[in-house]
Amino acid sequence: MAPTWRDRRWLRWGLRWTAGVMLLLLAAGVGGWLWLRASLPVLDGTRTAAGLQDAVSVARDNHGVPLISGTSRLDVAYATGFVHAQERYFQMDLLRRVAAGELSELFGPRALPTDRARRLHRLRARADLALAALPPADRLLMTRYTDGVNAGLAALQAKPFEYALNGTAPRPWRATDSLLVIWAMYFDLQGGQLQHDLSRGWLRAHTDEAQRAFLAPAFSAWDAPLDAASITGATPSIPPSAPAWWGRQRTDSPADPHRQACAPGYLPPDDRFRGSSPGQPGSQSGAGLLAAFLPDTLAESVTGARAPSSSASLSPSLAGPWGQPMHPAAAAWRNTTGSNNWALAGSRSDSGAAIVANDMHLGLQLPVIWYRAALQFPDGKGGQRRVVGVTLPGTPVVVAGSNGQVAWGFTNSYGDYLDLLALDGDPAHPGQVRTPAGAEAPVVHRETIVVKGAPAATLVVRETSLGPLYEAGGKTYAVRWAAHQPGSVNVRLHLLEDVASVQQALALAPTLGIPAQNMVAGDSAGHIGWTIAGRIPRRAVTAPDASYPLRADAADSAWQGWLAADDYPRVVDPADGQLFTANSRQLNGAGAALLGDGGFDLGARTRQVRDGLTALGARAGVERVYAVALDDRALFLAPWRDRAMAALDAQSVAARPQRAEALALLRSTWTGHASVDSVAYRLTRSYLYALYDIVYGDADRQLALLDPHAGMASATSRWPVVLARLLDAQPPAWLPPQYASWHALQLAAIDHAIADLTQDGQRLADATWGQRNTAASAHPMASSIPLLGRYLTVAPDMLAGDQHMPRVTGPTFGASERLTVSPGREQEAVFNMPGGQSGHPLSPYFLAGRSDWVAGRTTPLLPGAPVHTLNAFQAGRA
């Protein structure tokens, strides 16, 4: 039947309505696109600025890397601030808020736990004092940088898009905010030391002296110090008895054959590479400098993963008793450090100049933590100074790089820079505490935390002359941290721009206001050197005692200011022509006691870096020195594969097809590397961490009552060495009683590893390392608007590498930059990093260079030919 006029009318109206909706959607899309573009940085043109002394230019290459040139260092600081604000203002804002405890103003009540933890340190108040204490020239540098930041923010046609998504407005930048950005690095690099001390305090209370020496050794055979072939000293013997908690099982649930291999607190052993939890800073690890401090719900958008929140996501064998989820054991959050640096002397390079490599590891995020730049300005001697490297948005300095005469780089030093001081009340003076000076009444501060969408919160902070008070396990501690001390932050890093030799660089290092770092430097004359850069407390008590909580009223708990510069340990021009650090113990000699142990890495990675450099021989070039960073040989894990294969003997695999398959895969898919296609590597790693849970799980559960991030792996990174000694010696007194033999214990761990890798019906043969070691980075706002999330996230990449080898990688953790340079030969220098220059998803520089980082390909460190140039002149100048 032919359509009636009514049918035709409804059809016309339907078509009109559909077309109207489509036009509205199109208009919204175009409007959204134009709105996003309005907050893109200015790349070309000419501007005037009242804050300039003369003229400055910003010439960007095809990757967005700028050469910032000016007629004075102050004008270059202004332009650097301008560029940072235009490309990365939201990142800068998060960093200052992380340190000050002001995230709730942006993100509401869900950020309150993080803000409360940060406000304990009252860094916003300390920042005003720190700024006033700076030399006038440094304050002027920061003022000019701050002027540039605010000018760059004002020059955007629209506020940065993150604020529009969040319904907030950006606050202007202050000079004190730059100091807060440096303090944010303290949290990231030293924030785990509180849990380290708590964990060691619990260990001391639950072991005798012999057990403690065995379980938390001061060194191991893996260590590769700078001043000796290995650490010398007596290896603690295996004590005649184990602690009561060792290998203890939970007794409040029915026996379960799968649970038999696992102490309470079990997390799937394959899930052991997450770095810090989102709410707690770690140590060059975790979800990134921004994400590590965001609440779980925010950090998920950055990490792309979180610990299971319900047992529904776990297989029955991995859920806890009565179906509740198991909590991550401490090893899930620790032992994932990764930064490396090294230097080769001119006597071993192909040019006669030193070669310096820096391979700093942090969380993977968008935008990346660093901003590449080259700064050029008069050197005061009639020539031009060019400094190239990475800057930290929010600060006016090059953090790591080369000035044409000297190159330098950093790794976290992991010395002991925080003390927990146990305090008693004074019965004669209620409300007061006992200190070495006598009874003291804490000063009470009421910190007001502004909360978006909710009433402001108040936090009461009690502070003593020893530090703010912290409660844990029914005890009161004063937190004495290097970050609290006058002089802990400054911008003297800019003085490295003018040093002409390694000796000058090392002399400057003790005065730098940064978290204490391993600094490796090399110069164009071929000299190399190492020291600690940053302030070191001068202690009355020497290592290793200070790595445990101390009595506040004991005379030996005192700090006596900062260590004098002349007392800093140094290594200069070693006979073998190489220096290297990788977060482990640096020294065998007396200098080790000055640093203490704030959570050193195991040392296997350092040893592998050292041996890789030795293998280079003489006349090595920049590319070969760089290649050490890509070494993913599984030297640390190989003995654990051997142990697993030995446990899977003929009797153990008989009538056990999964064990037989595991043995076959351990043989056939082992490449000797942490390869993306290796099932054997992943299976071996899971077996190791299942063993950890068997013996340390009960201790971790008890430690979690003190602090969610405390654990035996926080107390000591050397736990694999302890397990290896026990499996080799098999002492009956240390065998957990639920196992008939050490062989049975190992089989139980293997069974748990298999159960984990075959969850949800997955075939064991498909459980490759690459499937697990898959990195995805996202902008912190990626989850705010799902339609935009795809533009703020990169597709996951399977990555070779792992912990305990130079190429440290993980799902949320990896090399934040790789830089190798010979000073004076910067045209040969190479670089890559896991993201681009811009924090804006519509910028062509948002992900520029990411693919090179994934593949390990080198790109030039120096900016290339300019494709965009922005010029600025002093206001009133033609």
Side-chain angles (χ1 to χ4, degrees):
M1 185 175 66
T4 66
W5 67 272
R6 292 180 184 275
D7 296 330
R8 289 192 294 270
R9 184 178 66 179
W10 282 111
L11 180 61
R12 286 195 299 271
W13 278 108
L15 291 173
R16 290 170 182 171
W17 182 86
T18 301
V21 169
M22 293 181 66
L23 285 173
L24 285 173
L25 291 174
L26 179 62
V30 172
W33 183 78
L34 292 173
W35 162 71
L36 278 174
R37 285 194 59 82
S39 58
L40 281 168
V42 179
L43 301 181
D44 295 289
T46 300
R47 305 178 58 83
T48 59
L52 290 177
Q53 295 176 331
D54 199 334
V56 70
S57 68
V58 179
R60 288 178 171 90
D61 68 7
N62 62 341
H63 289 290
V65 181
L67 171 62
I68 303 174
S69 304
T71 55
S72 74
R73 180 63 179 89
L74 292 176
D75 281 355
V76 168
Y78 180 96
T80 303
F82 186 96
V83 169
H84 280 171
Q86 293 233 313
E87 300 277 20
R88 304 283 192 89
Y89 194 80
F90 187 69
Q91 173 192 7
M92 296 163 59
D93 192 10
L94 286 186
L95 287 172
R96 66 177 171 180
R97 290 176 182 274
V98 157
E102 297 169 353
L103 289 169
S104 298
E105 189 175 356
L106 286 181
F107 299 112
R110 55 185 172 168
L112 262 175
T114 302
D115 281 350
R116 290 182 186 276
R118 301 288 82 78
R119 285 294 179 98
L120 175 71
H121 305 280
R122 301 187 63 248
L123 294 181
R124 175 67 74 182
R126 297 181 196 276
D128 292 326
L129 298 174
L131 180 65
L134 294 181
D138 288 355
R139 286 202 305 274
L140 181 58
L141 181 74
M142 293 182 66
T143 298
R144 300 301 298 279
Y145 176 80
T146 299
D147 291 343
V149 169
N150 290 320
L153 181 63
L156 294 171
Q157 296 180 36
K159 62 185 177 183
F161 74 93
E162 296 95 339
Y163 297 98
L165 294 179
N166 200 39
T168 56
R171 283 195 321 221
W173 196 257
R174 298 170 54 193
T176 51
D177 293 333
S178 293
L179 299 179
L180 287 169
V181 169
I182 300 172
W183 265 313
M185 297 299 294
Y186 268 94
F187 279 118
D188 193 55
L189 301 175
Q190 297 179 7
Q193 292 198 6
L194 187 150
Q195 287 75 26
H196 174 71
D197 278 22
L198 271 181
S199 300
R200 290 173 79 87
W202 182 92
L203 179 65
R204 181 172 58 190
H206 291 82
T207 56
D208 60 36
E209 186 175 348
Q211 291 166 346
R212 184 168 65 256
F214 171 66
L215 291 170
F219 63 92
S220 79
W222 287 109
D223 280 302
L226 293 168
D227 57 348
S230 60
I231 303 292
T232 57
T235 300
S237 59
I238 300 176
S241 63
W245 50 264
W246 179 262
R248 189 169 64 183
Q249 285 191 308
R250 184 178 251 171
T251 59
D252 59 351
S253 62
D256 176 84
H258 294 284
R259 291 271 311 160
Q260 211 170 23
C262 149
Y266 179 74
L267 182 76
D270 189 44
D271 221 6
R272 290 293 192 230
F273 206 139
R274 300 194 185 204
S276 301
S277 67
Q280 171 61 36
S283 304
Q284 289 187 309
S285 66
L289 190 55
L290 305 183
F293 303 100
L294 298 180
D296 289 352
T297 48
L298 298 175
E300 283 176 58
S301 67
V302 181
T303 64
R306 66 182 298 182
S309 58
S310 73
S311 57
S313 64
L314 298 174
S315 70
S317 65
L318 298 179
W322 319 123
Q324 78 269 28
M326 298 180 186
H327 299 291
W333 314 110
R334 303 295 174 184
N335 311 136
T336 53
T337 55
S339 291
N340 315 298
N341 63 9
W342 53 90
L344 209 64
S347 59
R348 292 184 52 195
S349 76
D350 60 357
S351 67
I355 301 176
V356 174
N358 203 81
D359 181 29
M360 296 185 286
H361 284 60
L362 290 166
L364 302 179
Q365 59 196 28
L366 292 177
V368 297
I369 188 67
W370 309 116
Y371 183 83
R372 292 176 61 187
L375 312 181
Q376 187 166 294
F377 48 88
D379 63 3
K381 302 173 184 178
Q384 290 287 309
R385 171 75 67 200
R386 182 182 64 189
V387 187
V388 60
V390 293
T391 66
L392 175 62
T395 67
V397 297
V398 173
V399 175
S402 176
N403 68 10
Q405 293 178 286
V406 178
W408 65 92
F410 299 112
T411 68
N412 200 17
S413 64
Y414 284 91
D416 188 9
Y417 310 121
L418 180 148
D419 283 349
L420 286 182
L421 303 174
L423 291 166
D424 291 328
D426 190 335
H429 301 88
Q432 298 189 17
V433 293
R434 290 177 179 172
T435 71
E440 179 179 335
V443 177
V444 176
H445 302 279
R446 298 187 182 277
E447 292 284 311
T448 300
I449 304 175
V450 178
V451 183
K452 178 187 174 186
T458 300
L459 176 71
V460 176
V461 177
R462 296 187 301 151
E463 189 152 14
T464 71
S465 58
L466 300 175
L469 300 186
Y470 171 80
E471 307 285 340
K475 296 181 179 180
T476 299
Y477 300 94
V479 180
R480 184 168 55 193
W481 187 17
H484 297 158
Q485 311 307 311
S488 61
V489 292
N490 60 45
V491 291
R492 287 179 62 81
L493 199 62
H494 78 90
L495 297 178
L496 282 173
E497 298 166 358
D498 295 320
V499 297
S501 68
V502 161
Q503 291 288 359
Q504 291 179 15
L506 300 188
L508 180 64
T511 72
L512 302 182
I514 60 175
Q517 301 288 290
N518 291 307
M519 177 178 172
V520 165
D523 62 30
S524 56
H527 301 291
I528 58 175
W530 163 88
T531 191
I532 297 295
R535 299 295 182 88
I536 301 173
R538 186 174 181 223
R539 298 175 172 277
V541 61
T542 57
D545 297 332
S547 62
Y548 294 85
L550 303 171
R551 292 289 313 165
D553 54 1
D556 62 357
S557 68
W559 282 12
Q560 301 167 339
W562 298 116
L563 189 68
D566 290 343
D567 294 332
Y568 271 55
R570 295 181 181 179
V571 179
V572 179
D573 288 336
D576 60 359
Q578 61 186 43
L579 290 168
F580 46 87
T581 76
N583 309 130
S584 62
R585 180 170 165 174
Q586 305 94 335
L587 298 170
N588 177 55
L594 297 173
L595 304 181
D597 183 350
F600 285 136
D601 195 24
L602 177 65
R605 175 162 46 89
T606 310
R607 179 170 289 269
Q608 198 160 329
V609 168
R610 181 197 68 184
D611 294 347
L613 289 172
T614 301
L616 292 177
R619 301 194 58 77
V622 164
E623 290 280 354
R624 290 179 62 206
V625 173
Y626 161 84
V628 174
L630 305 182
D631 182 1
D632 58 13
R633 290 174 298 153
L635 303 184
F636 166 78
L637 211 57
W640 292 98
R641 169 183 174 256
D642 296 339
R643 291 186 180 95
M645 292 176 64
L648 292 170
D649 56 21
Q651 183 177 354
S652 300
V653 301
R656 299 295 294 267
Q658 282 195 315
R659 288 183 183 175
E661 183 183 13
L663 178 60
L665 290 167
L666 286 170
R667 288 171 173 162
S668 63
T669 69
W670 181 260
T671 64
H673 296 254
S675 307
V676 295
D677 58 349
S678 176
V679 176
Y681 185 88
R682 185 177 178 186
L683 183 59
T684 301
R685 193 180 194 280
S686 297
Y687 156 70
L688 171 60
Y689 282 100
L691 287 169
Y692 174 95
D693 283 299
I694 290 173
V695 297
Y696 291 117
D698 183 68
D700 279 0
R701 189 177 72 252
Q702 295 184 51
L703 278 160
L705 299 177
L706 293 178
D707 186 282
H709 312 289
M712 283 300 299
S714 178
T716 174
S717 65
R718 301 181 180 100
W719 60 265
V721 175
V722 173
L723 288 183
R725 291 189 63 192
L726 290 173
L727 290 178
D728 293 344
Q730 301 194 358
W734 285 76
L735 178 67
Q738 64 269 32
Y739 300 100
S741 66
W742 286 97
H743 183 223
L745 181 151
Q746 292 185 76
L747 289 176
I750 292 170
D751 287 344
H752 265 289
I754 294 171
D756 173 43
L757 269 60
T758 57
Q759 286 187 80
D760 303 320
Q762 177 174 263
R763 294 173 62 244
L764 186 59
D766 295 332
T768 63
W769 177 237
Q771 183 193 63
R772 174 65 184 88
N773 203 43
T774 300
S777 302
H779 189 284
M781 300 300 291
S783 62
S784 296
I785 298 182
L787 291 177
L788 291 178
R790 59 176 296 189
Y791 301 105
L792 297 173
T793 308
V794 295
D797 295 295
M798 290 187 179
L799 299 178
D802 190 13
Q803 59 186 347
H804 302 312
M805 60 185 63
R807 191 171 191 169
V808 178
T809 60
T812 62
F813 179 74
S816 63
E817 51 80 47
R818 301 186 186 109
L819 180 159
T820 306
V821 58
S822 185
R825 305 174 68 87
E826 284 75 18
Q827 70 279 5
E828 301 170 1
V830 296
F831 183 88
N832 59 52
M833 67 182 186
Q837 293 286 94
S838 178
H840 199 296
L842 293 186
S843 169
Y845 311 130
F846 184 53
L847 295 176
R850 165 86 180 190
S851 60
D852 296 318
W853 174 84
V854 171
R857 288 190 298 267
T858 59
T859 58
L861 173 63
L862 285 176
V867 296
H868 297 284
T869 301
L870 178 67
N871 294 304
F873 299 94
Q874 182 183 21
R877 175 178 169 179

